[in-house]
Amino acid sequence: MDFLRPADWEEALAAKAEHPTAVPIAGGTDVMVEINFGHRRPEYLMDLGRVGDLAEWEVGEDCVRLGAAVPYTRIMEHLSAELPGLALASHTVASPQIRNRGGVGGNLGTASPAGDAHPALLAAGAEVEAASVRGVRRIPIDAFYTGVKRNALEPDELIRAVHVAKADGPQQFSKVGTRNAMVIAVCAFGLALHPATRTVRTGIGSAAPTPVRAGAAEEFLNAVLEEGGLWENGKIVTPSAVKRFAELCAAACDPIDDVRGTADYRRHAVGVMARRTFTWTWESYRGARRTTEGAV
């Protein structure tokens, strides 16, 4: 195994173009596990640790540009207001040591369906900034996952950043694991309310070959909220509607049986998380409306 260590971003792109099979490593929390267990033996390993701007972020008027190697700890500490769903997901990543090293770019590059960041990114409608010597493009998160541990990157591309719209409504993340820390998700669920567009988005992890959204569930709930004028009046969503939403989220899963859980359990757990996270976010939305109206 040869080791590449570019000094800056341009050098990294040039090295990736020359060695398309090179596996990038920043925090190493995904790649080193695969290497240590013999699941991967790349011809080239590319250390991106010296590319400083990968660990930086920019907060714009409407969007956050998050460098691929920004540690989860930094997201938790500095971006919980702008990216609440991703900050909640970051809290569930492994241990403090790993949260200090790992970043969203590693989750995206590995594209494991169990990656903790994926449900939050799907729910938020993120875009992945991919770059090569040929130029830069932004890949919608819905088109990024192409198969089991496969993504839409070209062989000569590297992930430079993720663009995530600043939250305009409540967001939530929930994860089921076999213990409280240092655990791969049995299943996970992210949900975000987008009052500006009157839409709800979801993200499901570790319950299908790739991270997925529950499209039919979103369409159902969007219709319920629109037809009842609930975005405007802030009324309670009926229990029957919440139950149906949860059922549709469970139906969106295509899980497997493995040592961490059965397929049936994963479907059931996703339904429970969908019901709970929507209830929490909708109550938060209603509470914010009452506060705003009381201040007028």
Side-chain angles (χ1 to χ4, degrees):
M1 184 189 305
D2 288 336
F3 196 67
L4 308 175
R5 197 161 186 250
D8 55 34
W9 183 243
E10 287 69 26
E11 192 174 315
L13 293 182
K16 185 62 169 167
E18 184 177 355
H19 307 287
T21 60
V23 175
I25 180 171
T29 59
D30 285 332
V31 173
M32 290 309 300
V33 171
E34 293 187 336
I35 292 175
N36 290 339
F37 278 93
H39 297 157
R40 179 185 287 195
R41 196 68 182 174
E43 183 180 4
Y44 298 96
L45 199 61
M46 183 191 302
D47 175 23
L48 298 175
R50 294 199 292 174
V51 184
D53 66 342
L54 294 179
E56 298 176 356
W57 67 90
E58 302 171 15
V59 179
E61 183 176 349
D62 301 312
C63 182
V64 175
R65 182 183 181 276
L66 185 69
V70 173
Y72 291 111
T73 299
R74 295 292 182 88
I75 297 172
M76 293 158 49
E77 292 175 346
H78 300 287
L79 295 170
S80 60
E82 294 84 358
L83 309 177
L86 186 58
L88 288 170
S90 298
H91 273 280
T92 74
V93 174
S95 66
Q97 296 92 333
I98 291 177
R99 291 193 290 271
N100 286 337
R101 290 288 299 171
V104 172
N107 260 191
L108 290 167
T110 305
S112 166
D116 292 316
H118 303 314
L121 295 174
L122 282 165
E127 291 184 322
V128 181
E129 181 182 326
S132 70
V133 294
R134 297 175 290 107
V136 179
R137 64 182 179 129
R138 284 164 61 162
I139 307 169
I141 195 69
D142 292 330
F144 186 76
Y145 310 107
T146 59
V148 180
K149 295 189 175 183
R150 297 200 306 273
N151 59 45
L153 292 176
E154 297 294 335
D156 63 341
E157 287 184 318
L158 293 171
I159 299 171
R160 187 169 192 177
V162 183
H163 296 256
V164 191
K166 293 165 66 174
D168 65 325
Q171 301 180 358
Q172 270 291 341
F173 175 85
S174 187
K175 172 180 172 179
V176 173
T178 53
R179 57 187 181 183
N180 289 332
M182 294 296 291
V183 64
I184 298 174
V186 175
C187 53
F189 190 84
L191 186 140
L193 302 185
H194 298 278
T197 56
R198 298 292 194 264
T199 55
V200 177
R201 285 181 64 106
T202 61
I204 300 173
S206 204
T210 67
V212 295
R213 288 170 59 195
E218 293 175 12
E219 292 176 6
F220 168 78
L221 194 54
N222 289 337
V224 169
L225 298 178
E226 186 65 30
E227 292 169 6
L230 302 184
W231 289 109
E232 291 77 21
N233 60 40
K235 291 184 178 179
I236 295 174
V237 179
T238 63
S240 61
V242 177
K243 179 182 178 182
R244 182 57 181 158
F245 169 70
E247 292 171 345
L248 290 170
C249 286
C253 301
D254 184 18
I256 60 171
D257 296 321
D258 64 15
V259 296
R260 288 178 285 123
T262 66
D264 287 343
Y265 176 75
R266 285 185 163 96
R267 289 192 190 91
H268 171 75
V270 165
V272 172
M273 289 189 290
R275 174 174 53 81
R276 290 178 178 175
T277 54
F278 174 71
T279 300
W280 296 334
T281 53
W282 190 250
E283 283 304 307
S284 179
Y285 176 73
R286 295 179 69 233
R289 282 187 54 82
R290 289 193 294 268
T291 300
T292 302
E293 291 170 356
V296 174

